[in-house]
Amino acid sequence: MAREQLGICAEANLHANYLLCNVLDGQEAILRQKLLRIPQMLQRLAEHFSESMLTGLVAISSHYWDNLYPWQRPAGLQAFPVLPSEHLVVSCSMADLLIQVRSDRLDVNYIALQQIQQLLLANIEVSERLSGFRYLDGRQLTGFPDAPQNPRGIKRRQAALVPAVDSPMFAGGSYLHFYRANLDLKHWQQLTVAQQEEILGFAKTDGKPLPAERLLPNSHLQCSLAGGLAPLPLLQQNMPFAHGNSQGLLVLNFSHQAERFPQQWHYRLGLNEGRHYDSLLDFYRIDLAAAFFVPALGFLEAAANGSLGTSSDLFE
């Protein structure tokens, strides 16, 4: 069975840190060795600080993948979708790597980040350092429970991880869309609870869907549903952020099927016939976005030892 990186299907933590990195020219060969050491390092620290519930991952961007692993590319790996819509402007990042560290202890996060940055010091430049925190026992800064329709149990893995039957080489990996959504908190807080609930489509107290008579067609819930009123098979792993005058949500969506991401945005922007624009987007501005793939440990090992692309048996 393919072994996924620890951070993909992990449960929620109290603290998260993210590094968006650009790789210096000519570093691909040594970087293939070092990227394998990051999950190994995180595993050792997770065992040493077992109460911290440390997890993490390293992901490679859609535009840098072919530089690092020119032998084969995940079939669906594409740039973050920039769709024709007057409602939403997305600023895409050109970062080559995303490194995530999450735990229940800030000091353990600090130790992990320090070791990772020391490992990669000669090979990368960090373009963004981001941090997120758990807010009011798992709520967004809107005050609503975060991702109430997230898959649970075994369905988390089914939603997030590429199955071997689809792609033996990339089994256990995951397509990842990352973006920073800045919340217009001032105008959001001027709404009544009832107005906020109708925009979200959920009850504020427990995150349960509103009754049919209150559920608006342009609510976030209705605009996020696929055919048959089922949520798209995405695993969300979000963390609120706040610094200076900015606040909002760092959004990580994992899926075993890359086409789910543009499908999601077509729905939310009302670009499909019979669909409505998601009114929640009126309160968010996306100023940082990128698409990545999170390879499984077996893929990282094969790339590091030079056997990638020489034997498909490595991934079966």
Side-chain angles (χ1 to χ4, degrees):
M1 177 181 290
R3 295 167 295 150
E4 74 273 14
Q5 294 191 51
L6 285 176
I8 299 175
C9 296
E11 296 293 338
N13 293 103
L14 297 180
H15 311 286
N17 294 91
Y18 311 89
L19 300 179
L20 290 170
C21 311
N22 292 314
V23 180
L24 303 178
D25 291 341
Q27 300 298 308
E28 285 75 20
I30 188 62
L31 194 62
R32 286 192 283 272
Q33 306 288 326
K34 290 187 175 183
L35 290 189
L36 173 62
R37 293 173 59 185
I38 293 175
Q40 294 173 341
M41 183 186 303
L42 291 171
Q43 180 66 52
R44 288 195 299 271
L45 289 171
E47 293 171 358
H48 184 75
F49 299 103
S50 56
E51 80 289 351
S52 71
M53 305 301 291
L54 175 69
T55 68
L57 57 84
V58 56
I60 298 88
S61 73
S62 59
H63 67 266
Y64 185 66
W65 181 275
D66 293 339
N67 296 68
L68 191 59
Y69 305 119
W71 307 278
Q72 184 127 4
R73 182 182 180 91
L77 184 56
Q78 301 292 334
F80 193 95
V82 179
L83 302 172
S85 173
E86 62 184 18
H87 300 293
L88 185 68
V89 176
V90 175
S91 298
C92 290
S93 167
M94 295 303 291
D96 299 328
L97 305 174
L98 169 67
I99 299 170
Q100 177 209 65
V101 174
R102 301 173 70 204
S103 82
D104 290 343
R105 286 179 52 177
L106 272 174
D107 57 343
V108 174
N109 279 26
Y110 171 78
I111 292 169
L113 287 171
Q114 186 181 47
Q115 293 188 14
I116 291 170
Q117 291 182 91
Q118 185 64 34
L119 172 69
L120 300 178
L121 182 64
N123 315 109
I124 66 165
E125 292 178 343
V126 177
S127 60
E128 295 275 357
R129 290 180 172 85
L130 308 174
S131 60
F133 58 93
R134 189 170 173 86
Y135 177 68
L136 295 180
D137 198 26
R139 293 177 180 268
Q140 298 183 9
L141 297 185
T142 58
F144 284 73
D146 180 59
Q149 292 195 305
N150 239 3
R152 302 180 185 277
I154 190 63
K155 291 184 178 181
R156 296 172 66 85
R157 296 174 60 84
Q158 293 172 348
L161 302 179
V162 175
V165 67
D166 288 353
S167 176
M169 177 169 285
F170 297 109
S174 186
Y175 295 96
L176 165 62
H177 270 207
F178 169 88
Y179 61 92
R180 178 171 62 191
N182 288 269
L183 173 63
D184 183 354
L185 190 60
K186 175 183 176 181
H187 288 96
W188 178 259
Q189 291 179 335
Q190 291 175 357
L191 302 175
T192 66
V193 171
Q195 289 172 324
Q196 292 177 353
E197 289 181 333
E198 289 176 353
I199 290 172
L200 266 298
F202 298 101
K204 193 167 187 176
T205 53
D206 56 14
K208 292 182 179 179
L210 297 180
E213 61 271 16
R214 289 191 61 201
L215 199 55
L216 303 180
N218 64 342
S219 67
H220 174 66
L221 171 60
Q222 287 291 82
C223 293
S224 301
L225 295 177
L229 298 183
L232 285 168
L234 297 171
L235 176 62
Q236 295 186 55
Q237 195 185 94
N238 311 324
M239 294 289 275
F241 75 90
H243 56 82
N245 295 321
S246 300
Q247 64 280 312
L249 197 65
L250 298 170
V251 179
L252 284 80
N253 282 334
F254 296 89
S255 180
H256 68 284
Q257 295 178 313
E259 60 268 25
R260 297 304 185 191
F261 302 119
Q263 184 181 5
Q264 178 193 51
W265 283 107
H266 272 87
Y267 287 170
R268 295 189 66 186
L269 293 173
L271 300 179
N272 296 69
E273 185 176 354
R275 307 288 303 204
H276 293 266
Y277 163 73
D278 183 353
S279 57
L280 179 62
L281 293 175
D282 289 336
F283 296 89
Y284 280 104
R285 177 177 54 87
I286 297 177
D287 66 348
L288 186 65
F292 300 88
F293 189 79
V294 188
L297 296 178
F299 183 93
L300 293 175
E301 290 167 356
N305 64 33
S307 57
L308 185 62
T310 63
S311 173
S312 61
D313 295 338
L314 291 167
F315 305 97
E316 295 177 352

